[in-house]
Every structure is written in structure tokens, then in C-alpha cells.
Amino acid sequence: MVAGTAGWSVPRALAEDFPGDGSHLARYARVLDCAEINTSFYRSHRPEVYARWAAQTPPGFRFAVKLPRAVTHDQRLRGARAPLERFKAEVTGLGDRLGVLLVQLPPSLAYEARPVRTFFDLLAGLFETSVVCEPRHLSWFEPAADRMLVKLRVGRVAADPARCPAAAVPGGWLGPAGDGAGAVLYHRWHGSPRIYYSAYGDAWLRAQAEQLQRWPASAERWCIFDNTASGAAASDALRLRRCM
């Protein structure tokens, strides 16, 4: 199981939990296992920037990288080859630190089989990296959409707050047997009840830890805390680790 946050800010109140010298990222990466790069959603980064980030992390550390909004929100998965090729040229700077590509979709984007299949086939042709998708329109939680994600070997993110019960648990591609073995199970926890701000309670974190431990050991379990606005994410990630 890998636990981390969106970004790698080290709150001042947690400085002693991330000891040592160096940048925030270097200190963060000595304690937590992964981080999600969200800035890639808003703007491009040169390959040298990604390479510099990778160089500040130890072997075994992994980044998840969010696809650009130009692809997911502006073009809504259509006509994506050129921007995806540019994105690929940039993130190759991470080298073996690149662990997962995150495709977060706008709440207004309903499931449509043909453009979805075309887009994820294109993505698979460009990247060998595991892909997970965080859809937010309710149509993505119907059986047809889930079957399509299984065919495409794309995992569906488990999110909190969840828009429907199915959104709270991993879906889509869950490995060859559908039991999670060998799959990437990606959790994004945004904070509840106040999204991006609220810290999670100990009981909630213990319940999540119990659920995570039920998956096979070969399942790659990512837990990303996105409740960063109040600095709660890093504390929650550390507390989840202690529950495992």
C-alpha cells in the first residue's frame, strides 16, 4: 500500500514528522511512498522539471500524474493525440518514478462508448504506465461503463465524497480475476464534510485500512489525500499508515 498526498507540501505543524535537510519534496519522499502531481492539470512542465522532481526522491518512490485539463475538460477526450504526445514528452522526465496516470473527468462528461474507447486506446498506445480514471457523471457507474473500463484495463478511482455508492469503491479493471490481484486500486480522498479542507477521523481511517487489507497483497493500493487546503492531507496520510 502506498499513501501520499496531492502535492508534497509539508505543513509547519508536521515539520518534525518529515525530518532532515533538503526541499519539501526530498523530506516528504523520505517518509511517504508516493505523491500526486496535480499542477500538470493546469499547465505544462518541462521534462527537466519532472527530472528534477524524480532526482529528489528515493528508489521505489512513485508519482501519479494528472492529465492536462486541455485533454479531459476542454477537448473532453476528443482530438487528444497532439496534446497527449506533448504530455508524454514532458513526463518522460520522471523515468521509473512514473507510477500512474490519472484521468479526472468533469462532472458534466457523460459516458459514451465510442469516444471513451478511442481515447483510452490512444492513451494505451502512447504509455505503458497504469491508467486510472476518476469519472464524476453518474452514467459512468452503470454496468456498461464498468465493462468498458475492464476491457480497456483502466481502473476506476474510489473517491470520497462519493457521488453514489459505487463511486466509493474501486471499479473498472481489477485484475484478470476481478479480485484486485495485480491491479492498481486508486483511492482519492478529498475531505469530508468540507471538501478539500476537512480532516478525516480516526474511526474512518481505521475502517479504510481494514478495507484495504482485504485486497490481495499483489494489488497496488494507492491512497491519495486531496484535503490539502487546510494542511490535513499529510497528517491523514501519516495516520492511515499507522493503521495498516
Side-chain angles (χ1 to χ4, degrees):
M1 189 274 289
V2 291
T5 67
W8 44 81
S9 177
V10 176
R12 185 175 300 177
L14 296 178
E16 293 184 358
D17 293 295
F18 297 89
D21 298 327
S23 65
H24 273 228
L25 175 56
R27 293 165 57 204
Y28 171 103
R30 288 195 289 265
V31 177
L32 294 174
D33 313 288
C34 64
E36 186 181 274
I37 298 174
N38 276 192
T39 52
S40 53
F41 178 75
Y42 300 101
R43 62 183 183 275
S44 296
H45 298 297
R46 290 178 289 108
E48 295 82 3
V49 172
Y50 283 109
R52 185 168 67 246
W53 288 337
Q56 296 177 60
T57 65
F61 188 89
R62 294 292 179 268
F63 290 96
V65 187
K66 194 172 180 179
L67 260 63
R69 68 169 297 140
V71 172
T72 57
H73 288 54
D74 299 340
Q75 297 182 206
R76 300 171 72 83
L77 306 184
R78 290 171 165 83
R81 178 175 291 277
L84 283 178
E85 288 177 345
R86 289 194 296 271
F87 178 66
K88 179 183 179 180
E90 295 163 2
V91 299
T92 52
L94 287 177
D96 65 2
R97 301 298 199 273
L98 176 59
V100 180
L101 296 177
L102 169 64
V103 182
Q104 187 193 54
L105 301 178
S108 61
L109 185 57
Y111 171 73
E112 294 181 69
R114 182 174 294 179
V116 167
R117 181 172 56 247
T118 299
F119 172 79
F120 283 108
D121 280 344
L122 171 62
L123 198 59
L126 291 172
F127 293 89
E128 296 181 359
T129 311
S130 297
V131 176
V132 296
C133 179
E134 184 181 16
R136 290 182 286 176
H137 191 279
L138 291 180
S139 61
W140 284 83
F141 302 97
E142 297 296 330
D146 207 60
R147 287 194 296 269
M148 176 64 77
L149 293 176
V150 171
K151 289 180 183 178
L152 296 166
R153 299 174 71 95
V154 173
R156 193 187 70 232
V157 169
D160 182 83
R163 292 176 177 263
C164 64
V169 296
W173 172 248
L174 296 176
D179 60 358
V184 173
L185 311 175
Y186 200 96
H187 301 74
R188 294 190 88 217
W189 295 325
H190 302 287
S192 182
R194 189 183 180 193
I195 191 169
Y196 306 131
Y197 283 86
S198 294
Y200 288 101
D202 289 340
W204 190 91
L205 291 171
R206 285 194 298 270
Q208 301 312 306
E210 291 174 3
Q211 291 293 331
L212 289 163
Q213 290 170 333
R214 291 173 183 161
W215 292 102
S218 63
E220 190 175 326
R221 292 158 288 179
W222 287 63
C223 303
I224 296 293
F225 289 90
D226 190 30
N227 50 343
T228 56
S230 64
S235 175
D236 284 355
L238 292 172
R239 290 190 296 132
L240 177 69
R241 287 271 300 269
R242 291 195 285 268
C243 290
M244 298 299 289

